[in-house]
Amino acid sequence: MDLTALRNANPEHWAKAAAIRTLTLDAVAAANSGHSGMPMGMADVATVLFEKHLKFDAANPQWPDRDRFILSAGHGSMLIYSLLYLTGSDEITLDQIKNFRQWGAKTAGHPENFLAAGIETTTGPLGQGIANSVGFAIAEASLRARFGKSLVDHYTYVIAGDGCLMEGVSQEAIALAGRQELGRLVVFWDNNNITIDGTVDLADRTNQVARFKASGWHVQEIDGHDPEAIDAAITAAKSTKKPSMIACKTHIAIGSSAQDTSKGHGALTDATLIADAKKAYGAPAGAFEVTDEVKTAWEEIGKRGAADKAAWDDRLAAQGEAKRNRFNRVIAGEAPKRLSATIRALKKQVSESAPKVATRKSSEMVLEVVNPMMVETIGGSADLTGSNNTKTGDLGIFDTDNRKGRYIHYGIREHGMAAAMNGMALHGGIRPYGGTFMCFTDYARPAMRLAALMKVPTVFVMTHDSIGLGEDGPTHQPVEHLAISRATPNTLVFRPADTVETAEAWELALTQQDTPSVLSLTRQGLPTVRTEHKTKNLTAQGAYILAEAEGKRQVILMATGSEVAIALEAREALQAEGIGTRVVSMPCMELFAQQDEAYRKRVLPAGPVRVGIEAAVRQGWDRWLLGERGRDAKAGFVGMDSFGASAPADVLYEKFGITAEGVVGKVKALLA
């Protein structure tokens, strides 16, 4: 490839792009790890995008109406770090670049959204970024419809590589974006034909251009090193009503001896290779050296959006007070002040009427009073609307002809749904929730994990949460999924016992700022166990005393969800025999763990035998069964140690021994 011709064709562009390439080479070499090739190959695309199209203000990187830039190919993180440093970020300084991948640096091996402004989403697990971007684009379209173009008028740009497009979640995302005609979404495909193992054709022969076209996208093919072609393609992409894919033919590790090889994908640390590449670029030879002229030119690019930001500030100030306050509230992620009172009123009504309903229906009852008031919610389901009960009458359907609709038909795409919801939450202004069966957290799991890592309050509504779903059988009956969800850091897992606890769980989920929630809800009807109205949100304590022992306390029964009613029935039988039994409802273990030690000891004092009851595996229960010192009580567990079976729910509970009689037997064996 003739680099001299490229340099001479547009020397100013080339010098700016070369700064990205040399900073990448130096940072990866200093760290002795990383991925050099992609930032080197996509530097031209990024330079044109930032210089001529991206609406951003380096001094105000979280301005709500900025364009979003997502590096789905997150292994090439030095691309975004270089761009942030060069354009004048206060956080990504040259020292941060020099400490790439080191302890305490904001320049982590893969971009982490919580480390620095300007990093819109955590990427690295391939495909997640492009799937997040669909949520970003949905959020923009929804907010624009509700607040108008004067406040919301921006694009989402994505760089995705061959690996992103091989991952299955990419097809879920691409198909959804095409169906929804998300015309403000532009994806640059880094078409370099290289993976870690070798050329792409070792494992794949997909015609990506045809694939995107078949999914309803506008597609262009260009030379990814020609700045004029890049500029024209972006301009064309912004004029279509379809989402756009620009196939950028690039050379990985361009200008180095590793160009167009799998070696170029990874860390290029050889001093001779780096020196030769810099010479070929016509760039300064010194480590981390960028000329003042080039740095000043990049900083001017970083300042280009200041006028747009100031004009937007004026437009926001010109809005009526109510609209302005509503916009600021939803962007800040703050719940309406009326939320708590609304939840309390529903709790009181339910405690008095004591309905027997499945908690999936309880969830719908909560949403029916919350959604009209909390206009930032966007619900959805992975083709299980009638089963998950996630749609309420006021929402309307989000679609090409109704961007004000607040319910999304995601199709059978659990992973894509979860990742898109994360994108909405990251964008701001939206409180996303979406449903599927609890068993299919397996399909959504990578995005659920990233929600926790990224500290976004996505709400995952997981119904049919146990063998209680019945005849569909063990393929659909979750047994290990609660344990997996609870094992995930920074995740709240709610398994409410009735409508009152469900209402409390929703209140907590909708007021989180940096923690996702999993709502584990039943298919089968459950009695109301909270028949005495309490203004206080008891679920916020994680666990609480639902029924106290009469006489000497010998037993503590702990249960969640549908098994709380079983615990109460067992208590009656034990009390009838003079065995004092306390029942503790434990709707959220994570919140209970956050309570002070004195409260935890009041709820679970040492001495009495303890039995946990949950139609799931025991894993995760021993801290509460054995005591936090591991020796506070004799303990047992009534639950599952195998997969389920196909039969009516009541038969399954009997056959697997998750009954009041089974609990009584376990207690008596422990007391013997």
Side-chain angles (χ1 to χ4, degrees), residues 130-311:
I130 191 172
N132 290 161
S133 75
V134 176
F136 276 85
I138 288 172
E140 191 276 341
S142 174
L143 290 168
R144 178 160 34 92
R146 284 162 41 207
F147 289 101
K149 287 185 66 174
S150 63
L151 296 183
V152 184
D153 184 17
H154 55 263
Y155 287 81
T156 299
Y157 296 98
V158 186
I159 289 179
D162 293 305
C164 292
L165 300 189
M166 284 191 204
E167 290 287 356
V169 70
S170 71
Q171 182 55 35
E172 296 184 24
I174 291 164
L176 180 61
R179 165 62 184 81
Q180 288 290 348
E181 298 180 10
L182 298 174
R184 299 297 184 95
L185 176 60
V186 180
V187 172
F188 301 97
W189 169 34
D190 179 18
N191 179 18
N192 60 42
N193 196 42
I194 294 294
T195 66
I196 292 173
D197 282 354
T199 56
V200 167
D201 59 13
L202 283 173
D204 191 30
R205 59 174 51 168
T206 302
N207 183 328
Q208 297 292 354
V209 168
R211 175 191 177 198
F212 275 81
K213 285 182 179 178
S215 297
W217 287 57
H218 175 263
V219 181
Q220 303 172 77
E221 298 180 76
I222 63 168
D223 178 350
H225 301 298
D226 180 345
E228 292 185 2
I230 297 165
D231 183 20
I234 299 172
T235 299
K238 290 160 68 175
S239 67
T240 177
K241 293 182 179 180
K242 295 180 178 181
S244 288
M245 189 273 267
I246 303 173
C248 306
K249 188 59 185 172
T250 60
H251 295 275
I252 199 168
I254 187 173
S256 77
S257 58
Q259 178 179 312
D260 299 328
T261 69
S262 57
K263 177 184 176 182
H265 171 86
L268 302 180
T269 58
D270 179 76
T272 300
L273 178 151
I274 293 171
D276 289 348
K278 288 184 176 182
K279 184 176 180 181
Y281 297 155
F288 301 101
E289 187 177 351
V290 177
T291 66
D292 290 343
E293 181 182 6
V294 169
K295 183 64 165 76
T296 298
W298 268 113
E299 288 177 352
E300 288 303 312
I301 292 171
K303 295 173 183 176
R304 179 173 50 80
D308 288 335
K309 166 64 166 60

Side-chain angles (χ1 to χ4, degrees), residues 304-437:
R304 179 173 50 80
D308 288 335
K309 166 64 166 60
W312 181 86
D313 286 339
D314 290 341
R315 294 196 298 273
L316 178 62
Q319 303 296 317
E321 183 179 5
K323 182 177 180 180
R324 185 173 64 251
N325 289 343
R326 186 167 69 253
F327 181 83
N328 287 333
R329 178 184 68 75
V330 300
I331 291 296
E334 298 170 354
K337 293 178 180 178
R338 294 186 292 132
L339 178 62
S340 292
T342 301
I343 295 294
R344 285 196 302 270
L346 178 62
K347 284 167 53 179
K348 187 174 189 299
Q349 174 192 334
V350 169
S351 294
E352 292 172 351
S353 60
K356 181 177 182 179
V357 294
T359 51
R360 60 172 175 154
K361 177 63 177 177
S362 302
S363 174
E364 181 183 39
M365 292 164 63
V366 178
L367 291 171
E368 283 172 347
V369 298
V370 167
N371 279 337
M373 167 194 59
M374 202 165 178
V375 295
E376 62 270 33
T377 58
I378 289 185
S381 171
D383 199 52
L384 290 166
T385 297
S387 296
N388 299 146
N389 296 85
T390 43
K391 183 177 181 294
T392 57
D394 63 300
L395 289 180
I397 305 301
F398 179 88
D399 208 339
T400 56
D401 60 352
N402 183 22
R403 295 308 198 197
K404 290 184 178 180
R406 291 162 51 207
Y407 191 82
I408 298 173
H409 288 292
Y410 287 103
I412 305 91
R413 303 185 182 106
E414 291 88 355
H415 194 176
M417 174 182 73
M421 290 195 297
N422 287 345
M424 290 180 227
L426 287 160
H427 179 280
I430 304 294
R431 280 279 180 175
Y433 69 87
T436 186
F437 287 177

Side-chain angles (χ1 to χ4, degrees), residues 619-633:
Q619 188 172 350
W621 272 90
D622 280 359
R623 176 179 180 183
W624 315 118
L625 291 173
L626 303 177
E628 297 184 55
R629 296 180 298 172
R631 52 185 172 83
D632 291 340

